[in-house]
Amino acid sequence: MSQSTQSPFDLPELLTHLSRFVLQKDAVACAQVCKAWSEEFLSVVWHTVDSRLIEKHMLDPAAIAKNGHHIRVVENLEAHLPSSLWSPSVCKLQSLDMSIGDTPSMQDIAKGILQNNYASLTDVSVSRSHVDISSIIVFSFDGMPPAIDTVGFTNLVRLTITGVGIMREPFSSMLRMCPVLQHLTIRDTWLYLSDEGYIYQHQGLNHLSTTIQQIILSDPDAPDAPSLLAHFPNLKRLSLLHSTVSMEVDFEDFGNEVSRCCPLLKSLDVLCENGMTLKLLNESFQALTEICLSYPGISQPVIDAVISHRGSLERLSAAMPLPELELIRSALEEMGLAVGATDGQIQLLPRMCHRLKHFNLELHKMDIKNVEAEKWTCADLETLHVKFRGLDTTERIDRALRMWVDGREKAHQSAGEHQDDTTTILQDGSLEARVARHLLQFKRLREVCLGSRVWKVDSLA
């Protein structure tokens, strides 16, 4: 009796699993094998549509009508491109990045795409089209069907608005229609205040990314209008972005406005110029629990300003605020500098900030001699992302971290015997051993990255 053989690729579960690891160009070939493969791999082919990269024939209305239900992400949708994505078949978008123009037809296309995907979108970015950069483009969510206006964008958690103009009432309606919104990024946007002056307060938004100019002066015609912060009474994190627009700022008054509108705000990202960073930390904010600095902004005065929050500071990190600054990444690593501060100055942070639990200066190279010179007081440290001078290969980094993990396990085993075998485990004087001994001081440490991959372990405390 003959028995037919079945290819493993005939198993739907295996085919579905494999499709997750196939590049888009390979998925195109796979989709042409047979009908079953076509149904599986078309979802990969059409998952992301980048209008700057995709072949123009794929934006043909007939192609979109047939395959639009596979699209989940749309990137770089320009105002002048065909309106084929405004199709009933494109109804399951999760992420949408589009620029808009100032003509009614462009506005209709943008709103039509939003309308067709109101139930699935989680991330939306709306910006002004480059071709219209000399004019102010007014945009809002107004004009949606009553059903959408009532229910809203039920899954939208992230919204970015750049370079447009919005009346305060439509802006308030926009916030009301995004009940689960958590993160709003807004810059170079005018919020015009009308006679009604309706200010909707979004209770759920906890993270705002913007410029200080956008907060203070959203309406150039009404300098006394309520600040942007008035919309977000439960804001917990503020990211202040770099701005090319200069203006006089009373930093003490700005701090009072923050305290009045957002009393829960204790997390600050200062990704702006050095002078503003100093004034914000010294004059506008007190008792911050989380601070994220710009690497180019780290200097001795900024370190002193951060230390002024040592009684409350639990998380400290640094980031590169602009893509072009990545070009100096290797130079920073060779110098072992966080730009304006030496390693000795950086050491003041974990020595003085005793409540610190999360320390992330992943571009900074520490010298183990400086680390050993004086004890870090942050005994409850949980995560550490730094580099050590001399641990310059993956092998050396992994050896140091394996010694740390082994030392933790040995210490845990000997805890019941009321003795510490750490010194007997790490007898040698190698750099790896010295780094491991330093890490073993922190019983709650559970995540470490020394320049390669992240190592995670269970806390011993």
Side-chain angles (χ1 to χ4, degrees):
M1 180 177 180
S2 63
Q3 184 177 5
S4 62
T5 59
Q6 184 181 33
S7 169
F9 293 105
D10 292 334
L11 299 174
E13 298 84 358
L14 179 60
L15 203 58
T16 300
H17 182 72
L18 290 176
S19 68
R20 299 171 184 170
F21 303 95
V22 175
L23 298 177
Q24 188 180 47
K25 63 182 182 64
D26 297 323
V28 173
C30 291
Q32 298 173 357
V33 172
C34 63
K35 183 177 180 181
W37 281 45
S38 175
E39 293 175 352
E40 192 64 56
F41 285 96
L42 278 176
S43 61
V44 179
V45 175
W46 286 92
H47 180 273
T48 300
V49 172
D50 187 331
S51 62
R52 295 180 183 176
L53 301 177
I54 195 169
E55 297 181 14
K56 296 303 180 184
H57 70 85
M58 294 184 70
L59 292 176
D60 179 78
I64 294 294
K66 181 179 179 181
N67 299 290
H69 62 286
H70 293 300
I71 303 175
R72 297 294 181 269
V73 178
V74 172
E75 299 176 350
N76 301 309
L77 182 61
E78 299 285 353
H80 62 278
L81 289 174
S83 60
S84 54
L85 288 173
W86 183 13
S87 166
S89 68
V90 183
C91 59
K92 298 180 180 179
L93 291 184
Q94 297 172 350
S95 178
L96 173 63
D97 171 20
M98 63 179 177
S99 62
I100 57 174
D102 57 356
T103 65
S105 61
M106 293 177 179
Q107 298 274 336
D108 289 342
I109 292 171
K111 290 181 180 179
I113 296 174
L114 289 169
Q115 176 180 325
N116 289 344
N117 296 275
Y118 76 95
S120 59
L121 280 166
T122 62
D123 188 345
V124 171
S125 176
V126 179
S127 61
R128 174 176 54 190
S129 173
H130 294 295
V131 298
D132 300 302
I133 199 166
S134 62
S135 62
I136 294 175
I137 298 173
V138 179
F139 179 77
S140 73
F141 284 1
D142 280 8
M144 295 289 175
I148 299 178
D149 184 67
T150 301
V151 176
F153 293 80
T154 52
N155 290 296
L156 190 64
V157 296
R158 187 181 182 95
L159 175 63
T160 301
I161 304 173
T162 306
V164 300
I166 312 175
M167 297 297 290
R168 273 295 176 102
E169 288 72 21
F171 179 69
S172 289
S173 297
M174 186 182 299
L175 295 176
R176 178 181 56 78
M177 293 172 64
C178 304
V180 298
L181 189 65
Q182 298 178 14
H183 186 186
L184 172 66
T185 300
I186 180 170
R187 61 187 307 170
D188 303 325
T189 293
W190 298 126
L191 298 178
Y192 297 102
L193 188 67
S194 65
D195 294 337
E196 291 81 1
Y198 172 55
I199 302 295
Y200 175 80
Q201 291 190 313
H202 195 291
Q203 302 297 320
L205 191 126
N206 56 55
H207 186 188
L208 174 66
S209 298
T210 188
T211 63
I212 194 168
Q213 294 85 354
Q214 180 76 70
I215 292 175
I216 296 174
L217 190 62
S218 289
D219 186 345
D221 299 326
D224 295 327
S227 75
L228 179 64
L229 298 178
H231 292 277
F232 312 114
N234 293 322
L235 192 68
K236 295 181 175 65
R237 180 180 176 187
L238 176 63
S239 297
L240 289 175
L241 310 175
H242 176 76
S243 174
T244 56
V245 179
S246 61
M247 64 177 295
E248 291 293 328
V249 178
D250 187 318
F251 287 91
E252 185 175 351
D253 285 351
F254 176 71
N256 292 334
E257 177 71 3
V258 171
S259 299
R260 184 180 67 83
C261 295
C262 311
L264 302 180
L265 201 162
K266 294 297 180 182
S267 177
L268 178 67
D269 303 340
V270 275
L271 307 179
C272 41
E273 54 270 24
N274 194 17
M276 186 174 290
T277 299
L278 272 176
K279 291 182 178 296
L280 287 165
L281 292 175
N282 286 328
E283 301 178 28
S284 302
F285 293 91
Q286 294 82 39
L288 289 170
T289 60
E290 300 183 10
I291 297 175
C292 178
L293 301 170
S294 162
Y295 267 109
I298 298 178
S299 62
Q300 181 62 63
V302 168
I303 289 174
D304 293 339
V306 170
I307 291 174
S308 70
H309 297 263
R310 63 184 178 274
S312 57
L313 188 62
E314 296 182 356
R315 183 184 295 270
L316 178 63
S317 60
M320 280 293 189
L322 299 173
E324 54 266 27
L325 290 175
E326 288 293 338
L327 297 175
I328 66 173
R329 186 185 189 107
S330 59
L332 292 177
E333 294 176 350
E334 288 300 319
M335 293 186 296
L337 297 176
V339 186
T342 66
D343 182 45
Q345 294 167 339
I346 292 290
Q347 293 301 318
L348 293 174
L349 294 167
R351 290 172 185 169
M352 301 291 290
C353 301
H354 61 280
R355 296 177 62 92
L356 202 61
K357 295 181 180 179
H358 308 277
F359 189 39
N360 183 353
L361 297 184
E362 61 182 10
L363 291 186
H364 179 66
K365 277 191 176 181
M366 293 188 169
D367 191 318
I368 191 61
K369 293 180 180 179
N370 293 332
V371 173
E372 294 173 336
E374 188 174 339
K375 185 178 181 179
W376 290 9
T377 62
C378 46
D380 292 333
L381 193 67
E382 297 178 11
T383 64
L384 177 65
H385 290 219
V386 295
K387 296 179 180 179
F388 282 88
R389 186 179 295 278
L391 291 185
D392 47 8
T393 66
T394 301
E395 291 74 17
R396 297 198 71 179
I397 292 172
D398 287 350
R399 181 170 182 263
L401 290 172
R402 278 195 297 269
M403 295 175 79
W404 166 58
V405 172
D406 291 343
R408 293 174 81 260
E409 293 176 353
K410 186 67 174 178
H412 181 64
Q413 293 170 3
S414 61
E417 302 174 8
H418 305 287
Q419 61 182 6
D420 186 359
D421 286 344
T422 299
T423 55
T424 61
I425 297 172
L426 304 173
Q427 286 289 335
D428 67 87
S430 66
L431 174 60
E432 293 90 334
R434 295 166 71 185
V435 171
R437 277 196 291 269
H438 175 68
L439 300 180
L440 285 169
Q441 298 178 49
F442 308 104
K443 305 301 181 185
R444 296 182 183 274
L445 191 60
R446 52 182 172 79
E447 178 181 307
V448 178
C449 181
L450 302 183
S452 56
R453 64 188 177 94
V454 176
W455 286 53
K456 294 185 179 182
V457 296
D458 294 329
S459 171
L460 290 178

